[in-house]
Amino acid sequence: MTPKRQSVGLAGSLFVSACCLGAGPILAGLAAALGFSAFHSILNVYVLLPLMTVSVLWVVWNLRIQGNALAGSALRYPPFWSGLIGGSVAWVGVLLPHVVAGTKHVGTDLIIVGMALFIGASLWSVIDQRRRLGASARSA
């Protein structure tokens, strides 16, 4: 697994999180300028949520592959669990305000906490991968 593949999923989930945390009105403004103002609510539910889902699954899948390669099993690889939990919490934060009225602040908090765990897991795995590659290069 390369850090480049993991970065793609991380970038997608960061984009969705940014949209949900405040960049959404910017996109809505751009959509209105182009004549697509009716798509604001559609953008949130039918575009951002699937993008967040794909991005989180992509990173967790890559963490699973890396866990299998480095630890013998993803179940014994802490970045996998941290990424899975963080991605799930952030995903719930994106979905919650659209399902339960009045939960925008809770959703925002969930996105911030979840993305912090998610980014931390991704960075942890990249550092772990580079450290192990450096150790194997030194031993060779």
Side-chain angles (χ1 to χ4, degrees):
M1 195 220 42
T2 63
K4 187 176 183 180
R5 281 191 352 200
Q6 191 166 343
S7 299
V8 171
L10 187 59
S13 52
L14 285 173
F15 171 76
V16 171
S17 297
C19 288
C20 292
L21 293 175
I26 294 170
L27 291 175
L30 289 172
L34 297 172
F36 298 113
S37 61
F39 291 115
H40 176 60
S41 61
I42 292 172
L43 173 75
N44 286 336
V45 176
Y46 297 111
V47 175
L48 295 179
L49 189 61
L51 179 60
M52 182 70 163
T53 303
V54 168
S55 297
V56 166
L57 289 175
W58 178 260
V59 171
V60 170
W61 179 68
N62 282 305
L63 287 170
R64 183 186 66 81
I65 290 172
Q66 185 172 349
N68 288 337
L70 297 178
S73 171
L75 300 177
R76 293 188 303 247
Y77 192 59
F80 168 76
W81 290 107
S82 181
L84 180 65
I85 292 167
S88 299
V89 168
W91 185 85
V92 169
V94 170
L95 179 67
L96 186 64
H98 300 289
V99 176
V100 180
T103 58
K104 183 172 177 138
H105 295 294
V106 174
T108 299
D109 293 341
L110 288 174
I111 290 171
I112 291 169
V113 169
M115 286 309 293
L117 281 170
F118 196 61
I119 292 168
S122 295
L123 292 174
W124 185 2
S125 70
V126 169
I127 290 168
D128 189 35
Q129 182 180 13
R130 290 188 187 272
R131 186 181 68 229
R132 291 183 190 213
L133 287 174
S136 66
R138 282 187 295 249
S139 67

